[in-house]
Each structure stands twice: as structure tokens, then as C-alpha cells.
Amino acid sequence: MPGDARGNAPSGLIVVDKPGGLTSHDVVARIRRLAGTRRVGHAGTLDPMATGVLVVGVEKATRLLGHLTLTDKEYQATIRLGQATDTGDAEGTITSGRPAAHLSLAQVQAAAATLTGEIQQVPPTVSAIKVAGRRAYQLTREGAPPVLRPRPVTVWSFTIQAVQPAPADSAGGGLADPAPGDLLDVTAEVRCSSGTYIRALARDMGDALGVGGHLTRLRRTRVGPYGLSVAHTLDELAGQLTVLPLAQAAAAAFPVRQLTADQARSLSHGGRLPGTGAPAGPVAALSPDGTLIALIAEEDGVARPLAVFVP
């Protein structure tokens, strides 16, 4: 049940199945109330229209979040071909479009293939990227959308599952309003690196096919090791606050190094340890009783703490 006072909240991760219509900040605010603490953060923002896995850290687990964002993610998406919007998704205004009914599954798959691998992607102008100290979406709302530079991202897979005519009532108002039957809905699964914008994939697919495209549905099914199978809705969490304990959460996300009691004591005071030849990146260092002592990283044969979780 929710904590009764600040400081009583357990440290760990909460994997939320975010509903549509809420921002990631809205979800954090809900968890703060349920957990009885303000020390709550999230890893990997989801747009309001998107649903699915949002990883939330409570108390000490907030210090894990910056490391969890450097991982891979999976999505289920629906892309509407035949219309482009100014935001790249269904919440924007239609800006252009051409009939897409003639496109075949093979053509759509070929377009997806060009957007797979290590690619250069231009972020949407409604993204939260900062330009001269201001968010891109703020500038766009003020009528001065910034010109954003392409950024390297990795799309490990962009699998087209189905291509079918959009529902008859899909032709909304806007420029180049299509006739019923001109629009195609593409169902796809994407596995990609952090920093990849699925709405930009929808935009670029539409551009590549010459018909325009935008995202109409997005559901994140996995962030790193945390998938929908361990996610809980906000209603479920209101009934029982399910927290993945700190050590278990770290062990699921990072390689583990088992420490001796002396090593755990040294590391808890910020000391360094001899390296073990561990791979690059954070390693979860656990005490003999299974407590998460720190995240460590090795360099030049020495393991140093990135974040210490015990007093």
C-alpha cells in the first residue's frame, strides 16, 4: 500500500503500463501520491498519445534512471500513409497528402528497410530537444519551428506486419483531404535505440513513398529488460503499489559482480576495487547478502563507483 510518510517509501522501480492521454510527468505525479514521496522520476519519456512501458524510479532507484535510458526499446505502431501532419502524429494538423491505396506490402517493406540499421534521423520539431536553451516544441508552438540537425540512431528491426485500408472515417479535415479508401494503415514492430523517434520513422516512410505519413498509434512494449509482462496499470498500482526491489531491478538491467564483505564496505565509502575484466558499462555490485551497494564501471583495470546506494 502507499507509504504513510515521506521516507517510508520503498526504493525500487515501478514498471507502469501508461494509458493514453497522460504525460510521463502526470504518471510521476500519480506515483508520488501513491508512494508518499516526491523522490520519483522516470526513464524514457512517452508522448501523451502513446501507451505502454514507462519505467519509474522511487527513492534511491531514481539514481538508476540515467543509466537505464541508454538501452534498447521495442514498440508496436500504426502508421497512416497518405497524410503528413505537422507533428508527425495524429495530434497534429494535416499538411499534405497523396493517395496511398496503390502501395503494395512489398513497397512498404522496402521503405522500412531503408530506415533500418544505423541511420541519421531528423527529430520532430515538436520534440523536447533544446535549441539555444529552449525546447524545440516551445519554439514550434510560437510559430518559429527550429531546423534540427540529423542525429545518429539505430533501428535494429522495423518489421511490417500488415498493410490495410484505413477506416472509412479516417479522412479528417486539412490540406489535401483524401477520399475514403486513399489511406493505408501500416502495422509495424520496431526495435530501436534510445533517442529514436517513431513518429519520425512514420514521417520518413511517408516521404520515401511519396504519399506522406504520420503515426496514429504507439505502444511501447519493452524498455531494456522491462516488458509489459511486469507492467501494471495505474488502477492496479492504486490497489497495490508493486515495486521491483532495488537489487532485483539492477540485476535485471546490468551485469552483476558479487562482492566480499570487505569489498562491499570499501565500495560503500566510495573506494575503488581491482577490475575483473568486466564489459564496458555499468555493473551492479552486490554485497554477500544481496544488497545493491553501487553501480560500478571499469577503466584501466580499476572499478570505480558511478553511484553508491548504501549509507
Side-chain angles (χ1 to χ4, degrees):
M1 294 300 291
D4 296 325
R6 183 174 300 180
N8 291 339
S11 291
L13 295 182
I14 299 175
V15 185
V16 180
D17 185 349
K18 188 188 91 65
L22 295 184
T23 67
S24 299
H25 181 74
D26 292 335
V27 173
V28 167
R30 296 271 189 98
I31 300 299
R32 282 174 175 162
R33 290 195 293 271
L34 293 174
T37 177
R38 291 197 55 79
R39 198 175 173 192
V40 178
H42 66 82
T45 301
L46 273 179
D47 290 338
M49 70 165 280
T51 67
V53 175
L54 181 68
V55 177
V56 176
V58 179
E59 291 290 337
K60 292 179 182 178
T62 56
R63 303 182 68 190
L64 288 176
L65 298 179
H67 302 285
L68 292 174
T69 58
L70 306 176
T71 185
D72 60 298
K73 302 174 182 180
E74 292 181 0
Y75 297 88
Q76 295 174 343
T78 301
I79 298 167
R80 182 154 294 159
L81 295 176
Q83 290 175 333
T85 71
D86 56 358
T87 61
D89 63 22
E91 296 184 339
T93 300
I94 298 170
T95 56
S96 64
R98 294 183 62 185
H102 65 283
L103 294 171
S104 67
L105 173 62
Q107 287 174 299
V108 175
Q109 289 173 328
T114 66
L115 297 169
T116 304
E118 296 182 2
I119 63 174
Q120 295 288 322
Q121 185 184 72
V122 178
T125 57
V126 291
S127 66
I129 291 173
K130 284 192 174 182
V131 179
R134 302 201 55 203
R135 301 290 185 184
Y137 65 78
Q138 294 173 322
L139 297 170
T140 299
R141 289 172 184 169
E142 294 170 4
V147 176
L148 299 176
R149 294 182 177 181
R151 303 191 311 169
V153 298
T154 302
V155 179
W156 287 289
S157 63
F158 189 175
T159 305
I160 306 303
Q161 298 173 307
V163 176
Q164 59 191 15
D169 60 354
S170 298
L175 299 176
D177 202 14
D182 282 346
L183 303 177
L184 288 181
D185 277 354
V186 177
T187 305
E189 285 190 350
V190 179
R191 178 174 170 251
C192 58
S193 63
S194 283
T196 304
Y197 289 92
I198 308 302
R199 70 172 77 186
L201 291 179
R203 175 201 67 200
D204 294 344
M205 171 179 278
D207 288 347
L209 293 167
V211 297
H214 69 277
L215 193 67
T216 62
R217 184 186 69 90
L218 183 64
R219 183 160 176 76
R220 188 156 66 191
T221 56
R222 186 176 63 83
V223 177
Y226 312 110
L228 285 172
S229 63
V230 295
H232 301 274
T233 66
L234 290 173
D235 286 344
E236 291 170 341
L237 292 167
Q240 180 176 356
L241 193 65
T242 304
V243 180
L244 192 65
L246 196 59
Q248 186 178 343
F254 309 108
V256 171
R257 177 173 173 177
Q258 297 290 343
L259 305 175
T260 66
D262 287 341
Q263 288 174 331
R265 194 159 36 247
S266 173
L267 195 59
S268 69
H269 290 92
R272 301 187 177 194
L273 302 177
T276 62
V283 171
L286 304 184
S287 69
D289 67 1
T291 300
L292 176 66
I293 302 298
L295 290 182
I296 59 176
E298 290 193 18
E299 185 177 357
D300 298 329
V302 176
R304 60 180 180 84
L306 298 174
V308 178
F309 296 91
V310 295

